[in-house]
Amino acid sequence: MIVEPLILDHDRKTTLPGLREAFNSLPPPPPALSFADYAALRPDDRSAYDQARDDFLRLTLRVPTPEQDLSAGILAKLISSNPRRKNSRRGLMISAPMFYGKTELALLLARSVEYEHAKRYPDYADNGEVPVVWVEMTDHATGKALLAQIVRFVAPTIVLPKHITTDELRHRAVDLLHLHRTKLLVIDEAHNLGGSEPSSVIKALQNESSTTVALVGISLASGTAFGKGDGLQVTMRCDMVELRRADETDTGRALWDRWVTTFDRNLPLCEHTPGTLTRNARVLQKAADGRLAVLALIVERLVASILDDHHRRDEQVTRYRLFTVLDGLRRTTPVRHPITIEDLVEAA
C-alpha cells in the first residue's frame, strides 16, 4: 500500500501561496485497513499512513453548522451587490468568544469564494487574479498596518517608501484590489483594531473598493474595536454573524448530537466501530461547554493518543481512552470540566 504524503510548503495564510495551500489541502480519508494489516506494514509505510490519517482529521473532516449556511448566504449576496453599489457597501462580521471556530468558518467561506471564482474563470491564477486576500491583525494594530498587509499580500515584492502616508498607502491598496479583481478581504483577529484611524480606513476601503470586507474576531459587537465610538460606524455597515455554543435546549442538544455523530462515524482508526463517542454525547457537551472547537480538539487528541501508543493492540475508542484525553484537556488548556471516568460509558 502506497500513501502519497501531503506536501505543505507554506505555513502562513497571510501570503497568497500560503492561503491557496490552505484552500487546497483537503486530503481524502486514507484507505481503510484492519489493524492486523496495519501492523504488518513496514515502519515507513505505517508512519505515512498515520500521517495521512492525521492530515485527514485535522484538515478535511468538518461538521456543518447553522452559521455556515447563514454566513455563506449573506456573503454571496454581498459579493454580488457590492460592485453595483456606489456607496453604503456592506461587509460581514463573524464574532464569538475564544474557542468557537471563527477562523475555521472564515476559511471555509473564503475557500468557497475562491472555488466559485475558479469555476467561472479557470485561468484566473495565471491572469494574476486574487479573489481572496487574507490579513491578520496583531495587538494594537493600526489602519496603516492593515493597508500595508493588503499591499504585501497582493504584491509581495513591492518596496514601500519608508515615509509613505496612510492616504498614499490606501490608494495603493485600493488600486491593487481592483487590479487583481479581489472579491473578499478577510481581516482576521479584527478585535485587535480600535479607535478612529482603523475604523476610517475600513470605511474608506468599503467606499473606494467593491471588495467585500469580512471582519473576524472576538466579541466584535461588544468589544472596544467596533462596539462603541467610531467603530460603531463600521459595525452598522456590516451584517453580524455570532457563533454560539450548543446549549441545553432541545435544539442545542440535537445540534451537538449531530456534531458528535459526524466525528464518530468518520474517525480514521483501524476497524473503528462508532458508538462510544455517540453514547457519551451529553458528557462531551458538558466537558466542552457546547463549543465545537473544543469538541474538535478532543477528537484530535483522542486519535493522536491512540496513534502515538506504539504498544496498542487495537484502535477502538474506549471509555478509558476518552477519559484520559478529557483529563489531559483540563490539565493543559484553560478548559475546566468536572468529568470523571464514572461519567463515561462504553459503546453497547
Side-chain angles (χ1 to χ4, degrees):
M1 184 194 70
I2 299 176
V3 175
E4 293 294 333
L6 177 67
I7 305 300
L8 299 173
D9 297 317
H10 308 281
D11 57 0
R12 291 186 297 149
K13 296 190 296 296
T14 52
T15 66
L16 182 56
L19 183 63
R20 287 184 172 164
E21 182 178 82
F23 288 159
N24 297 320
S25 298
L26 296 172
L33 290 180
S34 69
F35 187 74
D37 288 341
Y38 168 79
L41 293 174
R42 295 183 307 166
D44 287 350
D45 289 336
R46 278 202 307 272
S47 178
Y49 186 69
D50 287 348
Q51 185 63 65
R53 293 195 280 176
D54 186 73
D55 287 341
F56 166 72
L57 179 64
R58 294 179 186 274
L59 299 174
T60 306
L61 181 56
R62 297 294 182 266
V63 299
T65 68
E67 293 86 0
Q68 289 176 11
D69 292 338
L70 176 62
S71 301
I74 292 172
L75 191 57
K77 291 178 181 177
L78 293 178
I79 288 175
S80 175
S81 64
N82 275 337
R84 306 184 67 82
R85 294 174 179 261
K86 297 306 177 186
N87 54 31
S88 300
R89 293 189 177 103
R90 297 192 60 77
L92 173 67
M93 279 186 168
I94 299 174
S95 176
M98 291 186 293
F99 271 113
Y100 276 68
K102 301 177 294 298
T103 298
E104 191 63 47
L105 173 57
L107 182 63
L108 183 150
L109 295 172
R111 181 185 288 119
S112 69
V113 171
E114 181 99 1
Y115 284 6
E116 184 62 31
H117 189 85
K119 284 194 297 184
R120 296 186 63 186
Y121 309 101
D123 298 326
Y124 79 103
D126 292 336
N127 294 333
E129 295 172 17
V130 183
V132 180
V133 170
W134 188 293
V135 297
E136 185 172 307
M137 299 295 97
T138 55
D139 197 23
H140 303 300
T142 64
K144 191 172 185 179
L146 164 60
L147 293 169
Q149 277 205 48
I150 294 171
V151 171
R152 293 193 180 100
F153 185 99
V154 182
T157 60
I158 196 170
V159 178
L160 294 172
K162 185 176 295 185
H163 300 295
I164 190 170
T165 67
T166 301
D167 282 346
E168 291 171 330
L169 198 55
R170 189 184 78 248
H171 286 306
R172 290 202 186 197
V174 169
D175 288 345
L176 285 169
L177 292 173
H178 176 74
L179 177 65
H180 293 276
R181 300 184 66 186
T182 301
K183 293 180 174 178
L184 176 65
L185 167 62
V186 178
I187 304 175
D188 199 10
E189 305 295 331
H191 54 271
N192 286 320
L193 295 166
S196 60
E197 192 247 9
S199 300
S200 65
V201 165
I202 293 171
K203 286 188 297 180
L205 288 172
Q206 291 178 307
N207 289 337
E208 299 171 17
S209 165
S210 62
T211 300
T212 296
V213 177
L215 297 156
V216 184
I218 297 173
S219 304
L220 295 181
S222 58
T224 58
F226 304 103
K228 60 183 181 180
D230 295 292
L232 280 174
Q233 296 185 66
V234 175
T235 301
M236 293 302 294
R237 289 170 174 238
C238 292
D239 291 282
M240 175 74 70
V241 175
E242 294 186 278
L243 278 61
R244 305 180 186 278
R245 63 187 183 89
D247 57 25
E248 293 296 331
T249 64
D250 290 344
T251 301
R253 285 193 290 269
L255 178 63
W256 184 265
D257 290 349
R258 286 198 296 273
W259 291 345
V260 173
T261 300
T262 299
F263 281 123
D264 203 4
R265 288 175 177 172
N266 292 281
L267 290 185
L269 296 170
C270 292
E271 299 176 329
H272 170 64
T273 302
T276 298
L277 286 183
T278 302
R279 289 198 69 196
N280 288 287
R282 294 283 72 75
V283 177
L284 290 170
Q285 186 173 5
K286 186 175 183 180
D289 193 29
R291 290 174 286 178
L292 176 57
V294 179
L295 174 62
L297 178 62
I298 291 170
V299 171
E300 286 181 7
R301 289 192 173 190
L302 174 64
V303 172
S305 69
I306 293 173
L307 300 187
D308 290 344
D309 179 6
H310 300 296
H311 301 291
R312 67 188 185 277
R313 297 179 180 274
D314 63 65
E315 293 185 354
Q316 295 300 314
V317 176
T318 65
R319 171 175 172 247
Y320 174 76
R321 281 171 167 164
L322 181 56
F323 175 72
T324 300
V325 170
L326 292 177
D327 193 45
L329 188 73
R330 63 185 165 199
R331 296 174 185 273
T332 59
T333 74
V335 178
R336 298 290 181 261
H337 62 79
I339 305 304
T340 68
I341 193 168
E342 286 75 21
D343 295 319
L344 299 170
V345 295
E346 294 282 5

